[in-house]
Amino acid sequence: ETGVTQTPRHLVMGMTNKKSLKCEQHLGHNAMYWYKQSAKKPLELMFVYNFKEQTENNSVPSRFSPECPNSSHLFLHLHTLQPEDSALYLCASSQDDIPGQPQHFGDGTRLSIL
Amino acid sequence: DQQVKQNSPSLSVQEGRISILNCDYTNSMFDYFLWYKKYPAEGPTFLISISSIKDKNEDGRFTVFLNKSAKHLSLHIVPSQPGDSAVYFCAARTYTPLVFGKGTRLSVIA
């Protein structure tokens, strides 16, 4: 139990669907992150939120839309995705977004686009 | 261009022996380095970290060594146990987002 919970664990969707990934952390952290892990690639940072404000958008296509209503919850809204978006999406949190503070990850959502 | 490289995709070690996982980086501004372990169907779990002001950090069976002049760090696991079999990711940052390597799959053979 890492203190970071992601739902759903698996998601299959068509390219025209709209769905959302949810992340909740119970660690009292101020920073939350979305990462993408594709096969044979390193984890790629997508978004960073610090105190509910987005501080990093790593050139992510607009078909991915993050939402952070409070410091404990982070969503990733998905619409009109492409087959290449199939990947493992990982949420993480840390006390603050600064060096010296490790990020704690959830178990991820395995997303498959048909 | 990858800033953090783990050049060995896999490593096999006998139980009880030492496992050494290596990581090279190119950005001399990195000042904080971490190792994560990942089991199948789980997220990465933080293992150990080191700041650039140190050259060694130890936590139980796990020791991380940092060689700043060579831009190289390594994770030593001794003694290795079957439960250590996992994918190990090296990561680094400064006041920029964390950058990960591709990982090394460690298999500890009983």
Side-chain angles (χ1 to χ4, degrees):
Chain A
E1 178 59 49
T2 64
V4 180
T5 304
Q6 288 188 245
T7 54
R9 293 296 311 275
H10 301 273
L11 179 61
V12 179
M13 57 188 283
M15 287 192 282
T16 57
N17 290 157
K18 289 185 182 181
K19 295 284 185 183
S20 296
L21 310 185
K22 180 182 175 182
C23 176
E24 184 174 359
Q25 57 97 357
H26 309 276
L27 301 168
H29 289 168
N30 299 313
M32 296 187 77
Y33 312 80
W34 279 116
Y35 286 89
K36 175 184 178 183
Q37 186 176 29
S38 304
K40 299 191 175 157
K41 286 188 174 182
L43 270 73
E44 300 172 62
L45 179 71
M46 299 175 74
F47 301 103
V48 181
Y49 277 81
N50 207 16
F51 291 96
K52 301 187 299 178
E53 298 297 320
Q54 188 181 122
T55 57
E56 186 80 30
N57 177 336
N58 198 19
S59 303
V60 180
S62 60
R63 57 186 184 268
F64 295 92
S65 175
E67 178 191 1
C68 187
N70 54 61
S71 292
S72 299
H73 294 85
L74 186 63
F75 295 90
L76 188 62
H77 303 300
L78 317 171
H79 61 97
T80 59
L81 294 193
Q82 305 299 309
E84 62 265 26
D85 298 323
S86 297
L88 179 68
Y89 289 84
L90 288 159
C91 173
S93 72
S94 62
Q95 187 60 54
D96 297 289
D97 183 32
I98 57 174
Q101 292 178 359
Q103 294 173 19
H104 299 266
F105 286 82
D107 288 336
T109 295
R110 174 72 59 187
L111 177 65
S112 299
I113 306 300
L114 300 179
Chain B
D1 185 37
Q2 275 190 268
Q3 296 187 70
V4 177
K5 297 179 185 177
Q6 294 178 256
N7 291 319
S8 298
S10 63
L11 175 69
S12 289
V13 172
Q14 285 276 318
E15 181 180 6
R17 306 293 285 265
I18 184 170
S19 295
I20 300 176
L21 298 115
N22 293 304
C23 178
D24 297 294
Y25 61 96
T26 58
N27 188 342
S28 58
M29 299 298 291
F30 286 147
D31 58 7
Y32 182 59
F33 305 86
L34 308 90
W35 283 95
Y36 284 85
K37 177 170 75 172
K38 186 180 185 300
Y39 293 120
E42 293 184 13
T45 302
F46 170 68
L47 204 53
I48 192 169
S49 64
I50 189 166
S51 157
S52 60
I53 61 172
K54 294 186 171 182
D55 53 21
K56 177 182 173 181
N57 189 25
E58 194 170 350
D59 183 1
R61 297 185 298 113
F62 302 92
T63 303
V64 56
F65 294 92
L66 176 63
N67 183 333
K68 288 185 289 292
S69 60
K71 295 194 185 70
H72 177 84
L73 68 157
S74 60
L75 175 68
H76 293 211
I77 306 173
V78 56
S80 301
Q81 299 173 354
D84 295 329
S85 297
V87 178
Y88 289 78
F89 294 96
C90 167
R93 71 172 298 180
T94 176
Y95 278 91
T96 52
L98 203 54
V99 178
F100 284 84
K102 287 186 178 180
T104 296
R105 181 176 301 280
L106 173 66
S107 300
V108 180
I109 304 160

